Amino acid sequence: MLQTLSALCSPTLLLAVVVLVLISPASAAAPPTLLFPDVTFKVFSDCIKENFASDVSLSTVLVLLYSLTENPEFLNLHGRQQQAKVAGERARAVTTWMAMFSRLLLGVRLRSARETLFKPTDGVILHSQEDYTVTSVNALSLKLNSLVSVLKLNMYKPSGKVYHRRKAISYKTIEPLYLLCSQSYQCETRSCPPRALHVDSPYRDVPRVTVLKGSDVCTFGFVLTGKCGGCETTYHADHDRVKSVETDEYDRCHLNGARYLKIGRELWADRVFTNSVLCATYSFHSSTSAFMDFWNESVGRQAGVKISHRQVWQAFILETLRMMAADQGRNLTLPDSYNIHKVAAGAYEALGANGVIKAAEGHACDECSHPQRFGPNEQEQDAEDFARVNMCVVDGIVMSPTHCAVEGCIAALAHARGGSYCEDHFRLYGHQCHVRGCNANCVASTKACQEHQADWQEYQETHSRSHLAGIRRMVSRPSEQLPWQDQRQNRQVQAHDEPALEDADVARKHDFGPSKFYCTETACYPCGVVIGWALFDKSESPTKILKFLQHIFPTPESKPSYICIDKGCQVFRTAITNGSFERLWSNSRFIVDTYHYNNHKRSDELCQTWCNPTPMDGSNPNLVIQELDRTGVLQWKRAFNTQASEQLNSWIAGYEQILKRMTVSNFYWFLHSVLYLHTKCVLQKQADRQIGLVIADLGVDVDDAL
């Protein structure tokens, strides 16, 4: 090839071509592989019959076959030791490498089926208490060496010359055919008899798809759809399509037990792949684009297949909705005409419980609850007569999506990129000047009339990428004052114990940009289990907090003993003022978390008396307890972690770059999904910890205990 190029190209061009070839992505691809051994079945069968017992199972034979083809380096070492190339070397029929391989098969991998590896004429006797014997190792090594020769896996020819150095085996030639079919084998519609299903598509219309199976890419995938001849319900690999009696339209029932999910037009993925999307999102705060880049570079480049961030997002939605639907014991049914964005909105409406995390229902552990404790004057009380004392920690984080700019409307934007109105208000006001009070028509490609073009140009300049970069620097370095910057005064920050502003309208001159929700409010137990969340518009007022708490604790028995929030004194004062305390919260106590309590005014008698999180006078033994430390000294200790919500919001902040670019419906579903997944992970860790404590108490082996 180089001679041909040198004849056709100049030396400079030839050098450039060689450099491009060397640095091309193909040069960093996977190492070359060899084809799967191509021998006739008769030759392979005769070898098995000649060397192994007649009752050897297919699984045992396949273990031997794939153990040899999956270890090319081992075959090279074994083949080289069989040859005497240097003075002092001795050719070995049974090499130390093959002997060790035989010991591992006899003692570990095929221990339960090792009797079928030998014929009666081999004279091998193995007792149950021994892993192997010298006779068994030598006999099995010779058998395996014969199998290596039959499969043409030798490194050397019989003459002693190198045949070829063994490389990894490619399994493309024996890749199976994947038929993505319905799990139902007969019609399951209630109004229809259980008829057998028939194939819905003719041979020429059967879709051929690519299947992502874990980290493998399978190209021989075909989608077969079943259909009932009576009710005409179609059964797919991941959903059922059935006609609704009420609407006379087709609905799609997303099946929780589906093995494969459709994430693209010609792309399907198994649940291992879709679950890996969830794990990457949860563990690494990975965005869809980040996961796309990772997968395309690590797997897709070698397989010649690329995925898009939209396909990753679809995999996330389809996997999370099945996770929640399975916990609720039902399959989610939505209109068949829904695209993936409407599926996210419909899934949140059906499974989101308006922000309440269903996985946390009924939770109680030693970190978030404990038996009732009594003060010095209440020792005659019995703790068993009282319910367990628990706590809920509430806090807000300023990280919220945008919504319609029209006053009082929080609907999603009609155009997420650069839009200001929802679909309804865009039809009404989209053609008008976006300056409030002006009804003139907009100039083409702008959002203002001719009179207000200066305001529009100023808005564009202040919202340019370079200007926003400077704003971010000011936020991250608030005390920095450079000579070329405008002199600015520090913004007055409202203290937590000052009265909070209610939903007073902030004067806006125009609607060039959309409005934003004020904050995301979260509630969790001290152990980290999330109870619920909500979006607050315009302010985090005590009235909204009380409504939020009433939503996640609707019944008297569900209300916690303590509600910890940074502005607990404000919420307590508001509850007393509007009369809801005696009616709803008389059995709960509002306190301030330990971090913010230090900044509250000492002159606020209500806060100091009723909202102290760590009363040291013994007035509330359920908040502060005494325990012995490692040295045996009695120390004061907080009974609950009052910073749990702060810690949760700090973790949520890792998704800020992802969430701030989302529409309202996607924001709702994504945040609810990660909080739901976080709750399940916390609960699983607690269960694993409890199992470990039980095993430690039993004092037995872990495997025996499990």
Side-chain angles (χ1 to χ4, degrees), residues 28 45 197 219 238 262 279 381 417 433 456 488 492 509 560 578 587 602 643 695:
S45 177
L197 306 178
T219 56
D238 61 342
K262 184 179 181 180
C279 294
Q381 302 287 343
R417 299 291 184 179
C433 178
W456 168 245
R488 61 181 185 272
Q492 297 296 326
K509 297 181 180 179
N578 61 23
N587 294 327
R602 296 186 180 274
Q643 299 300 120
I695 293 175

Side-chain angles (χ1 to χ4, degrees), residues 12-24:
T12 305
L13 182 59
L14 174 62
L15 179 61
V17 170
V18 173
V19 171
L20 287 175
V21 170
L22 292 176
I23 67 174
S24 64

Side-chain angles (χ1 to χ4, degrees), residues 102-114 131-132:
S102 300
R103 293 187 184 97
L104 294 174
L105 288 174
L106 293 171
V108 182
R109 183 62 185 89
L110 296 176
R111 186 182 182 90
S112 60
R114 56 187 181 179
D131 293 340
Y132 59 87

Side-chain angles (χ1 to χ4, degrees), residues 26-43:
S27 62
T33 57
L34 297 176
L35 295 177
F36 195 80
D38 188 15
V39 298
T40 63
F41 181 76
K42 184 179 184 306
V43 173

Side-chain angles (χ1 to χ4, degrees), residues 286-314:
S286 171
S287 65
T288 56
S289 298
F291 186 89
M292 174 196 70
D293 292 338
F294 163 76
W295 193 91
N296 287 338
E297 292 298 326
S298 60
V299 179
R301 184 181 294 278
Q302 299 178 12
V305 175
K306 288 187 176 181
I307 60 176
S308 66
H309 68 90
R310 291 184 177 87
Q311 293 167 341
V312 178
W313 174 241
Q314 183 152 331

Side-chain angles (χ1 to χ4, degrees), residues 317-625:
I317 293 177
L318 296 179
E319 181 65 29
T320 50
L321 71 85
R322 283 169 171 80
M323 173 185 65
M324 297 185 199
D327 289 347
Q328 298 183 21
R330 64 191 181 106
N331 292 318
L332 177 63
T333 301
L334 297 172
D336 187 58
S337 59
Y338 275 12
N339 57 25
I340 193 61
H341 300 292
K342 291 185 177 180
V343 168
Y348 180 78
E349 183 178 356
L351 305 172
N354 200 14
V356 177
I357 306 298
K358 289 291 186 180
E361 288 185 346
H363 171 72
C365 67
D366 294 338
E367 294 183 56
C368 58
S369 65
H370 59 72
Q372 178 79 28
R373 299 188 179 98
F374 303 98
N377 300 326
E378 301 174 325
Q379 295 301 325
E380 67 277 2
Q381 302 287 343
D382 189 359
E384 295 183 357
D385 298 335
F386 296 84
R388 290 176 66 89
V389 177
N390 59 348
M391 177 182 285
C392 165
V393 188
V394 184
D395 193 24
I397 176 174
V398 182
M399 183 186 63
S400 304
T402 56
H403 61 81
C404 181
V406 175
E407 180 62 30
C409 180
I410 58 173
L413 299 175
H415 306 286
R417 299 291 184 179
S420 302
Y421 300 129
C422 62
E423 292 184 0
D424 294 337
H425 289 116
F426 180 77
R427 285 193 295 268
L428 294 175
Y429 310 124
H431 63 285
Q432 296 181 0
C433 178
H434 287 32
V435 175
R436 294 191 174 182
C438 181
N439 298 324
N441 291 332
C442 295
V443 177
S445 70
T446 68
K447 294 183 180 181
C449 61
Q450 190 64 44
E451 180 183 355
H452 296 104
Q453 283 297 306
D455 296 331
W456 168 245
Q457 295 297 331
E458 180 183 0
Y459 174 82
Q460 285 191 309
E461 291 178 2
T462 56
H463 287 75
S464 64
R465 181 168 297 182
S466 59
H467 184 84
L468 292 177
I471 294 295
R472 283 192 291 269
R473 181 183 179 93
M474 292 167 59
V475 172
S476 61
R477 304 179 183 181
S479 60
E480 182 182 62
Q481 187 68 55
L482 300 177
W484 57 83
Q485 293 177 334
D486 295 333
Q487 297 296 321
R488 61 181 185 272
Q489 296 179 350
N490 293 330
R491 182 173 63 90
Q492 297 296 326
V493 180
Q494 181 183 6
H496 283 286
D497 50 354
E498 291 291 338
L501 295 175
E502 294 292 336
D503 294 340
D505 183 23
V506 179
R508 292 187 58 174
K509 297 181 180 179
H510 55 73
D511 294 334
F512 293 149
S515 299
K516 288 190 66 174
F517 286 95
Y518 178 75
C519 71
T520 301
E521 198 78 4
T522 58
C524 66
Y525 291 118
C527 62
V529 171
V530 185
I531 308 170
W533 68 281
L535 282 177
F536 286 176
D537 191 27
K538 293 185 179 179
S539 68
E540 188 188 13
S541 66
T543 304
K544 291 181 179 179
I545 294 174
L546 287 172
K547 290 181 179 179
F548 169 62
L549 291 172
Q550 180 60 26
H551 171 64
I552 60 178
F553 302 116
T555 59
E557 57 272 10
S558 65
K559 289 179 170 56
S561 306
Y562 294 94
I563 300 174
C564 179
I565 186 172
D566 53 6
K567 51 182 69 176
C569 49
Q570 292 184 36
V571 178
F572 182 36
R573 185 178 289 108
T574 302
I576 295 176
T577 303
N578 61 23
S580 63
F581 181 79
E582 292 294 334
R583 181 166 42 90
L584 300 173
W585 306 103
S586 58
N587 294 327
S588 299
R589 182 167 176 176
F590 294 92
I591 64 172
V592 181
D593 67 279
T594 54
Y595 176 77
H596 291 92
Y597 184 76
N598 296 327
N599 297 325
H600 284 221
K601 292 181 179 179
R602 296 186 180 274
S603 59
D604 190 344
E605 185 176 353
L606 182 143
C607 180
Q608 297 295 322
T609 304
W610 298 100
C611 302
N612 187 352
T614 55
M616 304 299 295
D617 56 358
S619 60
N620 200 328
N622 291 301
L623 292 177
V624 181
I625 59 177

